[in-house]
Amino acid sequence: MIATTLHRYSFPLGLYTKVRYLLVLSNHLGSSSMSQTKQPRVHWQQWMVSAQEGDRQAYESLLKEITPVLASYVTNKVGFLGYTEDIVQDILLSIHGARQTYQAGRAFEPWMFTIAKRRVIDHLRLAEKNSRWDPWDDQTHTPELCAPNPHLEALQHAMVNIPDKYREAIQLTKIQGLQLDEAAQQMGLTVSALKSRCSRAYQMLRKIIEKSL
Amino acid sequence: MSIDQLQKDLVAQLEAVKPIPRPAIIVVVWSLLCFPSIIFTMTMVDDFRVSWTEQLISSPRFLLEFLFGVISAPIAAFAASYIGTPQEPKKLQKAAIIGVGIFILFLSMTLWSVFNPALPPSSQGARPHCVYETFLYSLWPLGLMVFALRHHRSYFPKSSAALYGIAATMPTSSMMHIACKYEPLHILGFHILPVLVMSFVLIGIHRKVIKML
């Protein structure tokens, strides 16, 4: 396996790459306690390299270990969307499709989390476009809205950071539950102007949450 | 489909993939294929400006302008290749900034030349169809780059598209510095503007290109 792998890197910088690959291997095969304390996930690099060669056992082990990490990441960032498992599956599919872009010797986690972050952002945009991201749909008029909820923390932080007129539009329509014409009257706007303001408010909230990812 | 089932499917579908070459190798090969062929084609169409060697030797500023133009192409190509692999976002941002920054430096030097030319402007060496040549000869480097980076996965598609445009058009544009007449306004309008046009066109159509690939 090593000979086949080393043969793969037979271009002008092959020697440099071979040395880096051997360093990765030596870290993994060396003192396990040292590798666990200093570089606890270096085995992910080795598994990914093996997966690139078609090693299914290594790939299975890799997927099993990274899935809960990705699930935790997605839950922390956009758990309020309510379909964490779908997003995690999408990330795994993206990782599978982009595995040729991983380069041996480089850290695996930045590679993985870059893919995960982009997929999360894609889902945020899709949710906004398809009007799935309406977190107060099931929570209007409920006191639980004010209860501690880690999934809503990101939204609450974003709400604080948008201009007053946009926050007011969401508060009247979604939190207080006023009908559109009532809210428009209260704000001195037409219904279409209020809809436009709400739409703009959702865009701002999405961008703030994207930046926090 | 559950995550466990997806993991089993991905493992079952796993095939060996060849990791994409490192950016430096792609750039070296790409440059070796592009620059000589473009220079050869340009000399076949029309001669280079007669006094270009003397001007490069006698005017350090002109030499600097020319060199910045020449290196902006491989640097943009390197950046396009680099940001096509998922990595830490800060590294990707730095690469994109450097890739575009060298071209902007070249553009700034040419803008400055409008007020303070490196050489006395003249019509010596004027090529009647230089702007069409700049566009036409950019297609070969562009096609080559799209082919070389076809397995890359850029998560900054617009930046990638801009870098593709710069990398593809700058080889010809930089050669026009010594092949066509030295007149700063002419250079801006007929040699450098095609670079900007190509970049903006690619930014505009990048989504369709990604779908095709």
Side-chain angles (χ1 to χ4, degrees), chain B residues 127-147:
Chain B
R127 295 170 82 96
H129 307 294
C130 57
V131 65
Y132 303 115
E133 285 185 86
T134 307
F135 275 118
L136 191 62
Y137 302 160
S138 68
L139 297 178
W140 156 240
L142 179 64
L144 200 58
M145 180 170 296
V146 169
F147 174 77

Side-chain angles (χ1 to χ4, degrees), chain B:
Chain B
M1 181 192 292
S2 69
I3 286 185
D4 287 338
Q5 186 57 47
L6 175 65
Q7 286 175 354
K8 286 177 187 168
D9 289 347
L10 291 178
V11 170
Q13 292 167 19
L14 182 70
E15 291 175 356
V17 291
K18 190 171 180 183
I20 53 177
R22 295 198 178 266
I25 293 168
I26 292 176
V27 168
V28 166
V29 173
W30 177 84
S31 299
L32 287 175
L33 288 173
C34 288
F35 275 93
S37 57
I38 286 173
I39 292 169
F40 176 75
T41 308
M42 288 174 73
T43 51
M44 288 293 108
V45 170
D46 201 351
D47 293 332
F48 277 33
R49 191 164 71 241
V50 173
S51 52
W52 68 270
T53 45
E54 295 157 17
Q55 287 168 342
L56 284 176
I57 294 168
S58 64
S59 172
R61 242 188 74 198
F62 178 66
L63 175 64
L64 205 58
E65 277 180 19
F66 175 65
L67 287 176
F68 267 106
V70 170
I71 65 169
S72 62
I75 288 177
F78 182 92
S81 174
Y82 193 82
I83 71 174
T85 57
Q87 292 178 61
E88 292 174 29
K90 284 184 183 175
K91 287 186 180 177
L92 299 175
Q93 284 168 3
K94 273 185 198 171
I97 287 170
I98 291 171
V100 176
I102 300 294
F103 167 71
I104 290 178
L105 203 58
F106 171 69
L107 177 63
S108 305
M109 292 175 78
T110 311
L111 277 169
W112 173 243
S113 287
V114 172
F115 307 102
N116 186 14
L119 300 171
S122 81
S123 299
Q124 186 195 41
R127 295 170 82 96
H129 307 294
C130 57
V131 65
Y132 303 115
E133 285 185 86
T134 307
F135 275 118
L136 191 62
Y137 302 160
S138 68
L139 297 178
W140 156 240
L142 179 64
L144 200 58
M145 180 170 296
V146 169
F147 174 77
L149 305 184
R150 65 195 184 282
H151 293 308
H152 284 60
R153 292 288 184 272
S154 174
Y155 291 90
F156 299 94
K158 287 184 183 172
S159 298
S160 286
L163 288 167
Y164 276 45
I166 293 170
T169 329
M170 275 312 295
T172 310
S173 178
S174 62
M175 287 302 132
M176 285 295 178
H177 226 56
I178 58 173
C180 191
K181 66 177 181 178
Y182 184 84
E183 205 283 303
L185 282 175
H186 172 87
I187 292 170
L188 282 171
F190 288 77
H191 306 166
I192 295 181
L193 188 60
V195 180
L196 299 173
V197 169
M198 181 65 84
S199 296
F200 281 114
V201 166
L202 288 175
I203 290 172
I205 65 171
H206 75 276
R207 287 188 192 276
K208 289 185 182 174
V209 173
I210 289 170
K211 279 183 188 172
M212 280 167 52
L213 293 173

Side-chain angles (χ1 to χ4, degrees), chain A residues 85-157:
Chain A
E85 188 167 316
D86 290 346
I87 298 176
V88 171
Q89 290 192 21
D90 206 15
I91 294 171
L92 291 177
L93 282 168
S94 297
I95 286 174
H96 183 78
R99 61 193 190 281
Q100 74 279 1
T101 65
Y102 174 72
Q103 292 177 333
R106 289 197 179 154
F108 177 79
E109 283 165 78
W111 179 85
M112 179 183 77
F113 280 114
T114 299
I115 296 174
K117 178 180 173 180
R118 295 309 302 186
R119 296 308 295 138
V120 165
I121 289 173
D122 288 342
H123 275 276
L124 263 179
R125 290 179 178 167
L126 193 62
E128 181 196 349
K129 188 180 171 187
N130 293 339
S131 304
R132 285 176 74 178
W133 182 37
D134 203 356
W136 291 280
D137 262 347
D138 298 325
Q139 300 187 39
T140 309
H141 296 304
T142 62
E144 286 79 12
L145 184 66
C146 299
N149 184 337
H151 295 176
L152 280 180
E153 278 179 15
L155 265 174
Q156 288 166 349
H157 167 75

Side-chain angles (χ1 to χ4, degrees), chain A residues 35-36 38-46 48 62 65-66 69-70 73 91 95 102-103 105-117, chain B residues 86-89:
Chain A
S35 65
Q36 278 173 8
K38 284 194 174 179
Q39 292 175 313
R41 290 170 175 169
V42 71
H43 55 287
W44 286 1
Q45 299 176 21
Q46 201 270 332
M48 188 64 208
L62 178 66
E65 283 207 14
I66 65 174
V69 174
L70 290 172
Y73 171 79
I91 294 171
I95 286 174
Y102 174 72
Q103 292 177 333
R106 289 197 179 154
F108 177 79
E109 283 165 78
W111 179 85
M112 179 183 77
F113 280 114
T114 299
I115 296 174
K117 178 180 173 180
Chain B
Q87 292 178 61
E88 292 174 29

